[in-house]
Amino acid sequence: MPYRSFFSYSVTRAYPLRWFTPTVIIGGIIATALVSFLNVAATGYELVPTSTSDPNSTETNGVWFSKWPSYLVGARASCDAANLQVQSTIYTDKRAFPYTLSRVWQLGDGGQEVYQGSMVYKNNPIQKCNVTLIKMEFEGPGRTAGQLAVAPMGGTVTATSQCYVDEGTPSGRTYFELLSTYDAIPGPRTVSSAFLSLNKTTNPSLYWGYSLLNVYWRTVMQSFFDEDMARTEAPFFKGNVDLQRNMTLKGTMEENVQNVEFLRVPACWFIPLNTTGVAYLENRYCNSSSITELANSPHPAAFERPVPNIWHPVGILGKAMWFTVLADLGRDDDDMPNMLARPDLLANLTSNMNEANSTLRKTFRWGLESSLISQKGFDPAQSQDVHLWVNQSQLVADYLCQVPQLKSAGNLFLSVLVADLVILQVIWKIFTLLVDKICIKDTEEAQYCAACAPVPQSVQAAGGYQSVIGQDSKAILLEERRSLGT
């Protein structure tokens, strides 16, 4: 008696269809190529870590299948959001100023500010930036020896700005505050203004902002030095002037930004020297917030307005800092038209630039002779050749990303081979099932088993099988089974 295994095999026979073989061969080649192509995208890549400053392009333009549906792709590029810590230094994509991230907050349910220690950020455009305060500091003997060797008087101009980003999360907008400082002759305690992408042709608005800052920083420091030396009383050791936007002006915003009173002086402090050192006096300076009134003080000036000649250049330097920061942060709209982005407004802002430059003495001209600095005012006729612009900005950060990388040749071959075998087998099963149900089910040839009964000669001559197993054939089969003991 033959051994019978637990496992069994099926009896097969050739398909009685003339078109079946070429269809399987051609279709198999096409299916194998297509399935292999898809499996390279699905299983042929692995994720490797990398860092980038542009997560958007990394996620969308990583590999050739990056725009395919997610269910067809096994390894898709992705980047984690950056975590910007409070008090860290950051730049925008225009890279004009280094900024210190001083505060981060969100608005709670009751509208209260909920402060955070860091800001989660992923290359979102920063929106509706606004400068809230310009602070100018004057310093003479307190500067370093190297700074004093270049100019006898110096100082810094610091802008406080507030913006927000919309992360598209349930928590809503994230607000943040930035501090940026400009010093034409920076010292060890001052972060130098970068202006790393400064170019007269590709970014003329920042070029003009940089020129205005350079010329009027020197003009203000020279004016303060001259006023200080002309004082009949002790010279000032330090000085501080705050500038804020004047919210009482009437008219359109374009008229307001051109107004001399666009910025007001809410407070100022000056500290004189005496024979025993620094003398602190109760603040009685700047008893007017109007730049025009402070500038028109009698000379020699009253105690409350001791340095009248500095105020007009202070107003222009404040505007230059205001709009250069906003240009770096990408702000130019009807609510706050940027004077560096519009020809008529820029011509107004630089209208006294030629005179300011011509009055600078050699002592204060160090670093001014540069191809990156314009010493002349903007000519509106140049607006045909110079395209001023300010577009939306983004913060620059390093993002940790996972990007697809093609596997090694051996791993790629095995991965695709295994996936191909599985999918091709499924395709074959589905194909044969459909053929059996549609093309074979009602075919008479499929009802005949050549090993079960002889084919009558009359049927063979007719070219088909017209009968099934007869009584004699059944008797023969029974006899064979008995002889085999089944």
Side-chain angles (χ1 to χ4, degrees):
M1 178 178 177
Y3 176 76
R4 293 172 178 266
S5 173
F6 176 79
F7 301 98
S8 61
Y9 62 91
S10 302
V11 176
T12 61
R13 60 172 294 181
Y15 279 98
L17 303 172
R18 185 178 299 275
W19 53 266
F20 190 84
T21 299
T23 300
V24 170
I25 294 174
I26 297 173
I29 294 173
I30 296 174
T32 301
L34 180 60
V35 168
S36 298
F37 180 75
L38 294 176
N39 281 331
V40 169
T43 64
Y45 285 79
E46 58 187 353
L47 292 174
V48 296
T50 186
S51 62
T52 180
S53 60
D54 189 359
N56 294 345
S57 62
T58 300
E59 291 180 333
T60 58
N61 301 319
V63 288
W64 51 272
F65 55 77
S66 58
K67 295 183 180 180
W68 286 19
S70 58
Y71 55 82
L72 294 177
V73 178
R76 185 182 296 274
S78 63
C79 297
D80 295 331
N83 201 338
L84 305 178
Q85 299 293 324
V86 171
Q87 298 303 316
S88 62
T89 300
I90 55 179
Y91 291 83
T92 70
D93 53 354
K94 297 180 178 65
R95 294 175 172 84
F97 290 99
Y99 296 93
T100 298
L101 183 63
S102 58
R103 290 193 301 160
V104 178
W105 71 94
Q106 290 182 331
L107 298 181
D109 295 336
Q112 74 279 11
E113 296 180 353
V114 180
Y115 290 96
Q116 302 170 346
S118 62
M119 181 172 72
V120 178
Y121 179 75
K122 193 174 181 181
N123 220 37
N124 302 78
I126 54 180
Q127 302 182 48
K128 292 293 182 181
C129 294
N130 186 43
V131 178
T132 59
L133 177 67
I134 300 288
K135 183 180 291 291
M136 296 185 190
E137 294 189 0
F138 303 91
E139 193 169 22
R143 289 168 71 81
T144 66
Q147 290 173 309
L148 291 174
V150 174
M153 175 64 66
T156 60
V157 186
T158 301
T160 302
S161 310
Q162 292 183 357
C163 312
Y164 72 83
V165 292
D166 193 346
E167 297 286 349
T169 60
S171 57
R173 296 174 178 176
T174 298
Y175 298 85
F176 57 96
E177 184 178 79
L178 300 172
L179 300 179
S180 51
T181 300
Y182 175 79
D183 188 345
I185 309 173
R189 295 174 297 172
T190 307
V191 179
S192 176
S193 299
F195 287 90
L196 299 177
S197 61
L198 187 64
N199 188 291
K200 182 178 180 180
T201 303
T202 60
N203 203 335
S205 293
L206 282 179
Y207 163 79
W208 279 104
Y210 184 68
S211 300
L212 282 161
L213 287 174
N214 270 275
V215 171
Y216 280 97
W217 183 92
R218 290 166 171 81
T219 302
V220 168
M221 298 308 163
Q222 179 177 274
S223 300
F224 189 91
F225 178 78
D226 292 344
E227 288 275 18
D228 214 16
M229 293 298 100
R231 280 173 54 82
T232 56
E233 302 177 35
F236 291 121
F237 177 66
K238 290 179 181 292
N240 183 297
V241 174
D242 287 352
L243 298 171
Q244 290 179 333
R245 178 183 165 187
N246 188 351
M247 304 298 292
T248 63
L249 296 179
K250 306 297 183 181
T252 66
M253 276 305 303
E254 289 204 359
E255 293 172 344
N256 289 348
V257 298
Q258 296 179 76
N259 196 317
V260 176
E261 300 296 326
F262 174 71
L263 297 178
R264 58 185 290 272
V265 184
C268 70
W269 297 267
F270 299 107
I271 306 299
L273 290 168
N274 63 16
T275 56
T276 60
V278 178
Y280 173 77
L281 300 176
E282 182 180 355
N283 176 38
R284 289 181 289 168
Y285 301 114
C286 297
N287 60 356
S288 172
S289 63
S290 169
I291 287 181
T292 301
E293 291 182 6
L294 292 172
N296 293 335
S297 299
H299 214 290
F303 180 86
E304 295 83 359
R305 304 175 186 181
V307 282
N309 286 341
I310 73 168
W311 294 110
H312 281 310
V314 160
I316 299 176
L317 178 59
K319 281 187 179 182
M321 186 68 177
W322 185 287
F323 291 108
T324 305
V325 168
L326 289 185
D328 189 32
L329 296 175
R331 178 75 186 272
D332 176 36
D333 51 44
D334 293 338
D335 294 332
M336 181 54 68
N338 197 308
M339 299 189 76
L340 302 178
R342 309 189 183 194
D344 293 341
L345 299 184
L346 180 58
N348 174 272
L349 185 58
T350 61
S351 58
N352 295 322
M353 197 169 178
N354 295 348
E355 180 183 354
N357 177 62
S358 64
T359 59
L360 286 176
R361 299 190 298 273
K362 182 179 179 181
T363 308
F364 289 90
R365 295 191 67 86
W366 180 88
L368 194 60
E369 310 297 336
S370 170
S371 60
L372 297 178
I373 301 173
S374 176
Q375 300 180 40
K376 297 181 179 180
F378 178 78
D379 184 359
Q382 299 177 8
S383 60
Q384 301 294 330
D385 304 321
V386 178
H387 176 59
L388 302 172
W389 58 272
V390 170
N391 63 341
Q392 206 163 27
S393 298
Q394 297 170 320
L395 299 179
V396 174
D398 287 328
Y399 300 88
L400 181 61
C401 300
Q402 299 283 337
V403 297
Q405 177 177 288
L406 195 64
K407 293 180 179 179
S408 62
N411 288 338
L412 177 62
F413 176 77
L414 289 176
S415 299
V416 175
L417 177 62
V418 171
D420 281 1
L421 292 176
V422 173
I423 297 177
L424 289 175
Q425 187 177 22
V426 172
I427 293 175
W428 172 253
K429 291 293 186 183
I430 294 173
F431 176 71
T432 55
L433 180 63
L434 292 175
V435 171
D436 291 347
K437 294 295 184 182
I438 298 174
C439 301
I440 302 299
K441 179 179 180 181
D442 298 327
T443 303
E444 189 173 352
E445 293 92 324
Q447 310 301 324
Y448 173 73
C449 177
C452 299
V455 181
Q457 292 296 327
S458 60
V459 174
Q460 292 183 19
Y465 304 112
Q466 301 296 329
S467 63
V468 295
I469 300 175
Q471 296 298 324
D472 294 340
S473 297
K474 291 182 180 179
I476 295 172
L477 288 174
L478 291 173
E479 184 63 29
E480 288 179 352
R481 289 177 179 175
R482 290 193 192 97
S483 63
L484 293 175
T486 61

